Amino acid sequence: GFSGQDHSEKTNMWSQQPNIALCGSDTSFGEGVLKVVVSVTSNGNYEVNLVVRDKTPAGEVRYAFVNRVLDNGVNNIGLEVPLTEQGTHEIDAIVRGQLTPDGDFRDLFFVAPAPITVLPEARGLLVTSSNITNDNGQLRVCVAVERTRPDAPVEATLLVRDLAPTGEKRAATATKALLEEGTTVLGLEAPLDIPGAHNVEITVCLRDAEGVLEEIIAVNPDRI
């Protein structure tokens, strides 16, 4: 996983080395896990490490790394780390190598994938967007949900909580079957009949056979 510090040693950045060459990279994200794979070719048994840096939506910078001794030919160096904070993560990766047995680790190659946007996801359901409006005293909430795997739930319940300016707490729910493929929009309307600012919380839930709700995805709250 990530830590708050870069523990690997650093010197100057090199674009290429005679014995090690960068031949490709791949970055993917799903189910809350970032996967980074960097491919390098080598004609010697050099020790390298792959360092992945994540600048979170809150501005925190975290590091994760893995060590590897290269074989002759093509080597795939991979690392998996969790990305849980909703929002856009700026990711980059550095391959560092020890080119002599007692030498320092030096930066060999730098890879900067496109930023990763983490959307709310759980139990095979992905929230792709949400919208809250106040339409002449009527609260309207829409949440777009997609099933990401065959065993994902086939229906979901939208739970909306309203903390009124008076301190009164109210809640409303709406349940809908989910499309096998594509996006299903869960929608709900409720009156906003108390003047002032309302704190609105949105949650995607699953409902069991007894009608009990299990809250699985919290969507960013809003103030109306």
Side-chain angles (χ1 to χ4, degrees):
F2 282 112
S3 67
Q5 295 181 343
D6 180 358
H7 296 287
S8 55
E9 298 182 21
K10 294 180 284 187
T11 54
N12 294 325
M13 179 71 72
W14 298 358
S15 61
Q16 188 172 351
Q17 285 297 322
N19 297 318
I20 304 176
L22 178 68
C23 57
S25 65
D26 182 68
T27 303
S28 62
F29 175 75
E31 297 289 332
V33 176
L34 170 70
K35 299 179 181 180
V36 178
V37 178
V38 176
S39 299
V40 298
T41 58
S42 172
N43 62 358
N45 299 120
Y46 301 102
E47 184 177 356
V48 300
N49 54 53
L50 171 64
V51 181
V52 175
R53 180 176 61 184
D54 168 31
K55 184 177 180 181
T56 70
E60 177 189 1
V61 178
R62 305 180 299 186
Y63 297 87
F65 67 95
V66 62
N67 295 317
R68 172 82 178 273
V69 176
L70 299 179
D71 298 321
N72 288 329
V74 178
N75 297 260
N76 294 321
I77 311 167
L79 186 60
E80 296 185 7
V81 288
L83 289 185
T84 56
E85 299 90 343
Q86 296 179 26
T88 300
H89 294 248
E90 297 179 14
I91 305 295
D92 56 41
I94 300 172
V95 177
R96 294 180 175 145
Q98 187 179 33
L99 302 182
T100 60
D102 55 355
D104 293 334
F105 275 82
R106 301 194 178 190
D107 295 344
L108 303 178
F109 307 108
F110 179 83
V111 178
I116 301 292
T117 299
V118 178
L119 299 173
E121 183 176 7
R123 304 278 289 276
L125 299 183
L126 175 69
V127 173
T128 59
S129 65
S130 62
N131 185 49
I132 306 175
T133 60
N134 178 6
D135 186 6
N136 294 321
Q138 192 76 1
L139 174 67
R140 301 181 189 274
V141 178
C142 293
V143 176
V145 178
E146 293 182 4
R147 301 175 72 242
T148 62
R149 60 181 193 236
D151 63 345
V154 296
E155 72 172 23
T157 297
L158 178 62
L159 168 63
V160 177
R161 293 187 177 96
D162 171 27
L163 177 60
T166 59
E168 178 185 357
K169 298 179 180 179
R170 302 183 289 186
T173 62
T175 301
K176 189 173 183 179
L178 302 176
L179 296 174
E180 185 174 341
E181 295 182 359
T183 301
T184 302
V185 177
L186 306 177
L188 186 149
E189 296 185 9
L192 289 177
D193 48 7
I194 301 175
H198 293 246
N199 293 314
V200 179
E201 297 179 354
I202 307 171
T203 309
V204 176
C205 308
L206 302 180
R207 191 185 296 272
D208 66 16
E210 285 80 36
V212 178
L213 291 179
E214 177 188 0
E215 301 182 23
I216 63 169
I217 303 176
V219 182
N220 289 332
D222 207 343
R223 190 175 176 86
I224 297 293

